[in-house]
Amino acid sequence: MKKKKDEFKRPKRRNISCTPLVILAVLSLLLTACVPKKNVASTEATPVYTVKEVVACPTPETDPEAEQNDSDVESLDPELQVEAPAHEVAPDEEDLSEQQKKALDEDAVKFALDVRETKEFLYYYKFYTDYKKDGSPGKGRKAFTRWLERAKPFLPYVRKVINQKGLPEDIIFLPFAESGYNPWAYSWAGAGGMWQFMRGTGKLYGLRVDWWVDERRDPYRATEAAVAYLDKLHGDFDDWYLALAAYNAGEGKVGRAIKKCGSNDYFEISKHKQLLKKETRHYVPKILAILHIVRNLEKLGFEPIDWNYDAGIVSTEIKGGTDLTAMASACGLSWQQFHKYNPMFRRTASPPDTTMKVYLPQDKLAKAESFLKTKGARPFAGYSNYLVRNGDSWWRISRRSGVPISVLKRVNNTRSNTLRPGQRVMIPGKGSHINVDTPVAQTRQYAARRANYIVLRGDSLWTISRKFGVSLDTLKRANGMRSGRNIKPGQKLYIPDAGVAATKVAVKQAESAHRIITHRVRRGDTIWAIARRYNVPAKQILSTNNLSSTSVIRPGDKLKIVVE
């Protein structure tokens, strides 16, 4: 049975309108609930971000984006990826050991403001000092021990710079929270070095960051820049808690948080998740926990800090274009060892356009200064910064510039055979005068320039040594050879101390056994076609004319051909 059509009609929607009275009532309730409990318009308002009026702080309940930044990580260093849990599961003082409680009660922190023992503070304090159930150090305690050891060479210098600037000594331990005192550290956001400078901020405070160097990784230069920046932040906010928060998040974000909240109390602002990221809300409590630990190291079972520790590191100035690998070698250091002392360099040559400081152990200083006086100390004073194009290869760039591939790779600090379009490659300006980077290769080049004997068919290195009255070892060393088994007819050798008469005899012998003719290269000629024409090995032509299998010959070039 069919139902009436009217039964399928949907009921009409009722229009519910809000009266002005209802709207005003709701707004009144929201504003009343959000006004801070304490009077925030205090006389301690900062000179830059002065609070002119009380503005209600938005609450997590009224801001749908309150948790949008809570997933941010602090650093790529796993030792620093520690986030305090939610308040309801954070430790109370009852959860601490007797050793931890004793050190906590005897608060020795001399910070600009008193320590606030928040839930986050207690969490980090416990994490960095705790032991496992079996009595072994926990993950955080192990990390803190490593940080103390890593910081040892730098702490006296950092303390000296901070004292000269008149900042609280507690700032010395800021890099613990930033990088674990690791000069090589980079964060996911691109902050670099021990003090975790962003690129723009680093440049603003005099740190060079480019293709050649990243001075954010220079522990000494970065310390001076960080202290200057922190001094500026404290001047802006007149409050160390806010200055530290601004160091982490940027002064703009902290300034806007102050204006939105109407309070210049860091801990009051931190209660509202939408105003500061979780990283920044936990940043100051983490620093306070670190400060409390370092002021009570012995009570907590850590080794005390030796403020008179001397790492024996000194600096010397180098001019632009200095060969750093050669300098390291002259000092008896590997590149890895040298780079550990000088992490700011991104290439194995110093920037050609400026002088720089390098840091070395005290006992290496004399050798370094002696090397810097030699003519070969600065082969990279002239250079070009080449942009790789489609079809480029190390071989093509080498042929075009006259710089050996081994030198190009060494200068660009790479072992890869691959180049990508858009990549930048440093090309030394004096390429034709740069020797390859091994003593054997240098010897071979020297021997090729002074060659005074052409190998005959049936010659061996031993018969040549007997002919000229030189030892076999001397002949090998003079020609950069480890073995004399692979010499070939037509190959040129340098015979040291052979004398003019002996050389003339050798030449006459060569002329009587062989005939040297000159071939002018024509259009379409190749090494292999010429070799077939004269019935000689192609390798012999290459060897006689100091060519390689990748060499290019052009019409008009003259080649020497040794024929019987």
Side-chain angles (χ1 to χ4, degrees):
M1 182 176 179
K2 292 184 179 180
K3 294 183 179 181
K4 293 181 180 180
K5 189 175 182 180
D6 291 345
E7 292 180 13
F8 291 95
K9 291 182 179 179
R10 295 178 181 177
K12 294 182 179 180
R13 294 181 180 178
R14 298 177 62 187
N15 292 326
I16 301 175
S17 59
C18 294
T19 65
L21 185 60
V22 172
I23 295 174
L24 289 173
V26 172
L27 289 176
S28 177
L29 287 172
L30 289 175
L31 290 174
T32 304
C34 190
V35 175
K37 295 179 181 179
K38 58 189 289 186
N39 182 13
V40 296
S42 66
T43 58
E44 297 179 355
T46 63
V48 175
Y49 299 108
T50 304
V51 181
K52 296 181 180 178
E53 59 181 6
V54 176
V55 181
C57 296
T59 65
E61 291 75 16
T62 61
D63 190 341
E65 297 182 353
E67 298 291 335
Q68 64 180 351
N69 294 316
D70 280 4
S71 61
D72 290 344
V73 295
E74 296 176 1
S75 174
L76 294 178
D77 188 341
E79 296 173 354
L80 295 168
Q81 293 179 355
V82 182
E83 294 183 354
H87 285 184
E88 58 267 25
V89 294
D92 293 316
E93 287 194 37
E94 289 71 19
D95 298 318
L96 303 178
S97 67
E98 290 303 317
Q99 183 188 44
Q100 291 169 326
K101 288 180 181 177
K102 183 178 180 181
L104 190 63
D105 292 338
E106 298 178 15
D107 188 4
V109 175
K110 292 178 174 59
F111 200 59
L113 294 175
D114 294 334
V115 170
R116 305 281 185 92
E117 292 183 13
T118 64
K119 295 287 186 179
E120 291 85 1
F121 169 87
L122 290 173
Y123 173 77
Y124 288 115
Y125 175 70
K126 179 177 173 60
F127 177 79
Y128 288 125
T129 59
D130 214 3
Y131 290 91
K132 296 180 181 178
K133 292 181 180 179
D134 62 3
S136 61
K139 179 181 177 182
R141 189 178 182 90
K142 285 181 180 179
F144 206 90
T145 303
R146 285 195 298 270
W147 297 351
L148 287 169
E149 184 63 28
R150 189 189 288 157
K152 188 187 296 185
F154 309 118
L155 288 176
Y157 179 80
V158 175
R159 186 186 197 187
K160 174 184 175 183
V161 175
I162 284 176
N163 285 336
Q164 288 174 345
K165 199 71 174 179
L167 272 59
E169 286 196 353
D170 307 75
I171 302 300
I172 297 169
F173 305 102
L174 180 62
F176 275 60
E178 287 288 343
S179 67
Y181 254 97
N182 182 5
W184 298 89
Y186 281 101
S187 76
W188 64 270
M194 196 165 78
W195 292 89
Q196 289 289 282
F197 270 105
M198 294 298 289
R199 180 185 290 257
T201 309
K203 288 184 176 181
L204 189 63
Y205 283 85
L207 300 179
R208 178 170 177 170
V209 184
D210 57 21
W211 190 79
W212 291 95
V213 295
D214 187 346
E215 288 189 328
R216 296 177 299 173
R217 299 193 314 213
D218 184 329
Y220 308 100
R221 295 266 296 134
T223 293
E224 294 166 5
V227 170
Y229 183 36
L230 285 161
D231 186 46
K232 182 261 184 189
L233 292 174
H234 184 256
D236 285 349
F237 296 99
D238 196 27
D239 179 285
W240 275 113
Y241 293 133
L242 293 174
L244 291 173
Y247 188 88
N248 176 259
E251 50 263 57
K253 289 182 181 178
V254 173
R256 288 190 292 273
I258 291 173
K259 289 181 180 179
K260 287 181 180 179
C261 190
S263 171
N264 60 354
D265 183 340
Y266 165 82
F267 295 95
E268 180 66 27
I269 297 170
S270 294
K271 293 177 182 178
H272 306 284
K273 296 180 180 180
Q274 77 283 8
L275 295 180
L276 295 173
K277 293 181 181 180
K278 178 188 283 187
E279 178 185 341
T280 307
R281 299 197 307 271
H282 291 178
Y283 185 72
V284 173
K286 179 190 287 188
I287 291 176
L288 295 180
I290 290 170
L291 286 172
H292 192 86
I293 295 168
V294 296
R295 296 290 187 177
N296 297 277
L297 287 174
E298 292 182 81
K299 296 186 183 75
L300 292 167
F302 292 100
E303 290 292 323
I305 293 173
D306 180 4
W307 291 107
N308 296 316
Y309 179 79
D310 184 3
I313 304 300
V314 294
S315 65
T316 187
E317 197 169 79
I318 60 172
K319 294 182 179 179
T322 297
D323 186 336
L324 300 177
T325 50
M327 182 179 184
S329 180
C331 295
L333 299 171
S334 67
W335 168 250
Q336 289 73 23
Q337 291 171 324
F338 178 87
H339 209 197
K340 184 178 179 181
Y341 293 118
N342 299 275
M344 60 282 193
F345 290 111
R346 303 182 68 185
R347 298 288 176 266
T348 57
S350 69
D353 57 344
T354 187
T355 59
M356 288 194 70
K357 281 185 178 181
V358 295
Y359 308 105
L360 296 165
Q362 174 73 52
D363 59 351
K364 306 294 184 183
L365 182 61
K367 291 180 179 179
E369 292 182 341
S370 177
F371 165 79
L372 292 172
K373 293 177 183 177
T374 63
K375 293 182 179 179
R378 300 175 61 217
F380 310 121
Y383 80 100
S384 59
N385 195 347
Y386 178 73
L387 181 66
V388 176
R389 299 187 288 263
N390 286 326
D392 274 341
S393 65
W394 286 116
W395 179 82
R396 286 191 178 186
I397 295 174
S398 173
R399 291 292 301 167
R400 200 176 299 149
S401 63
V403 182
I405 292 176
S406 59
V407 173
L408 286 172
K409 286 187 175 182
R410 177 164 64 89
V411 170
N412 288 279
N413 197 21
T414 183
R415 295 181 181 178
S416 174
N417 293 321
T418 305
L419 288 174
R420 300 183 305 276
Q423 181 179 345
R424 291 282 179 180
V425 173
M426 170 189 166
I427 302 176
K430 300 179 181 179
S432 59
H433 302 292
I434 296 175
N435 293 325
V436 289
D437 53 350
T438 64
V440 171
Q442 292 176 6
T443 302
R444 287 176 182 170
Q445 286 191 349
Y446 180 76
R449 289 197 299 269
R450 302 188 64 188
N452 54 10
Y453 181 76
I454 298 176
V455 176
L456 309 178
R457 187 178 299 277
D459 272 346
S460 68
L461 211 60
W462 185 84
T463 59
I464 296 172
S465 69
R466 298 281 69 80
K467 185 184 299 183
F468 289 99
V470 296
S471 72
L472 186 60
D473 286 340
T474 298
L475 199 55
K476 287 180 183 178
R477 286 196 300 269
N479 290 276
M481 294 180 176
R482 294 186 176 91
S483 171
R485 296 177 182 176
N486 297 322
I487 63 170
K488 300 171 184 177
Q491 183 177 345
K492 292 181 179 181
L493 296 178
Y494 170 57
I495 315 297
D497 302 324
V500 176
T503 303
K504 287 182 178 179
V505 171
V507 170
K508 286 182 178 180
Q509 288 177 343
E511 289 175 348
S512 63
H514 300 83
R515 187 163 53 94
I516 300 177
I517 64 174
T518 302
H519 173 81
R520 184 183 293 276
V521 177
R522 302 170 185 173
R523 187 179 301 277
D525 271 351
T526 65
I527 294 293
W528 291 268
I530 296 169
R532 285 198 302 272
R533 184 181 304 168
Y534 291 100
N535 195 26
V536 296
K539 289 183 179 180
Q540 180 180 316
I541 297 178
L542 295 174
S543 176
T544 303
N545 292 276
N546 287 330
L547 299 174
S548 69
S549 59
T550 56
S551 297
V552 178
I553 58 173
R554 296 178 176 83
D557 289 350
K558 293 181 180 180
L559 299 177
K560 292 181 180 179
I561 313 295
V562 180
V563 296
E564 294 184 358

